[in-house]
Amino acid sequence: MTAATLSTTTGDPRPVPTLRLFAAELRWVLRRPRTLIMFGLFALVPILIAIGVVVADGDGDGNGGRGLIGSIGGNGLVLPIAAMTVSLALLLPLAVAVASADAIAGEASHGTLRGLLLSPVGRLRLVGMKAFGVLVVAAVATLVIAVVGVLAGLVVVGGADGQLVTLSGTTVGFGEALGRVGLVALWTIGQLAAVGAVALAVSSFTEHPLVVLASVLGGLITFGVLSAIPALDWLQPYLLTTGWSSAADALRDPLPLDGMGSSSLVALVYLLVGAAVLITRMSRRDA
């Protein structure tokens, strides 16, 4: 967002209304071509998984393999949950990292951050505006996967007459199945909010968006490596990525919430730390 977007009249010191501020950020975020391209690519994820499962079922014995992906065969409402789980490993954090890099480091590299810092916005509202834009990207990307996943699951995969066959062998109705998909989507957005808070904090310290991407993705990859080392089991509860497989719990009956609950608490800690660093840095940053 440029400073001109936020200005009222020349020399007018009046603060910009908050709703206008957030609306301008929303338009700026959603009009970027690369953001729209990312959303389109995310829509392809569940479609490609559905096609792969159907092809695998046609070439094999109909089991579609083992694990979460294998359970999609003939059970289409598993598809959105599987697609969100797969995307959370790298694709969704990448989208959030890109949005966070553009939000502050990108503005600084183009010289527009100075205008934002000098405009009648206020540092705290500026942070809220940028965080809102990143959260919108996370929410829209997740919902695209969820909605397209439900449609592709019902149309391409089909099965179970609109019902969901859980990993426990029981069957739940269409309404409850959609509720479980919505729960996973909400939980995924919470995890991405934590990634976004950390990415924004990193973005506030640099003028190079690629540094943000490398730092965030490198950190997530490092977390994944650390979680795979048995000698570091004591460290796993503190790693953000440790609980990212908890989405599969939504396919069990009765629905266990311990995994998603504990991972949400870890994500909340990362979010608060990232937000504190971001606010401190932006409040002291020179215009």
Side-chain angles (χ1 to χ4, degrees):
M1 176 188 296
T2 63
T5 306
L6 300 176
S7 62
T8 51
T9 59
T10 304
D12 191 351
R14 290 180 300 173
V16 180
T18 301
L19 289 180
R20 177 185 170 188
L21 191 68
F22 280 62
E25 180 70 10
L26 183 62
R27 288 194 300 270
W28 183 73
V29 168
L30 295 182
R31 286 180 179 178
R32 283 197 301 244
R34 60 175 169 268
T35 302
L36 299 177
I37 292 173
M38 281 195 304
F39 292 157
L41 293 176
F42 284 131
L44 290 177
V45 172
I47 296 175
L48 293 176
I49 294 176
I51 294 174
V53 169
V54 171
V55 171
D57 283 348
D59 293 340
D61 56 4
N63 293 326
R66 298 179 179 179
L68 186 59
I69 299 296
S71 63
I72 298 175
N75 192 16
L77 289 177
V78 175
L79 177 60
I81 296 177
M84 284 186 282
T85 302
V86 170
S87 300
L88 184 59
L90 183 61
L91 294 179
L92 286 172
L94 175 61
V96 171
V98 169
S100 301
D102 286 336
I104 299 179
E107 295 271 19
S109 66
H110 289 92
T112 55
L113 183 62
R114 177 181 175 84
L116 290 173
L117 294 174
L118 293 174
S119 63
V121 173
R123 300 294 179 93
L124 188 59
R125 287 206 301 164
L126 177 60
V127 169
M129 174 185 71
K130 293 303 181 181
F132 171 73
V134 173
L135 183 61
V136 166
V137 171
V140 172
T142 303
L143 292 177
V144 165
I145 295 175
V147 172
V148 175
V150 170
L151 296 177
L154 294 176
V155 175
V156 180
V157 180
D161 296 328
Q163 296 179 323
L164 171 67
V165 180
T166 67
L167 297 178
S168 304
T170 59
T171 301
V172 299
F174 182 72
E176 184 177 348
L178 289 183
R180 296 188 180 212
V181 173
L183 175 63
V184 173
L186 183 62
W187 172 82
T188 301
I189 294 171
Q191 301 299 309
L192 295 176
V195 175
V198 174
L200 282 172
V202 176
S203 187
S204 66
F205 284 92
T206 180
E207 296 181 357
H208 304 285
L210 288 179
V211 172
V212 182
L213 294 178
S215 300
V216 174
L217 297 183
L220 294 177
I221 293 172
T222 301
F223 280 8
V225 172
L226 294 176
S227 64
I229 300 177
L232 297 178
D233 286 346
W234 60 271
L235 186 61
Q236 293 185 12
Y238 306 102
L239 301 178
L240 179 61
T241 59
T242 299
W244 281 4
S245 60
S246 301
D249 290 345
L251 297 174
R252 306 187 189 280
D253 193 24
L255 176 63
L257 295 176
D258 294 343
M260 284 190 284
S262 60
S263 60
S264 296
L265 290 177
V266 174
L268 178 61
V269 172
Y270 277 85
L271 189 152
L272 293 177
V273 172
V277 173
L278 173 62
I279 292 173
T280 302
R281 169 60 178 164
M282 293 301 293
S283 63
R284 298 178 179 178
R285 182 160 183 163
D286 294 334

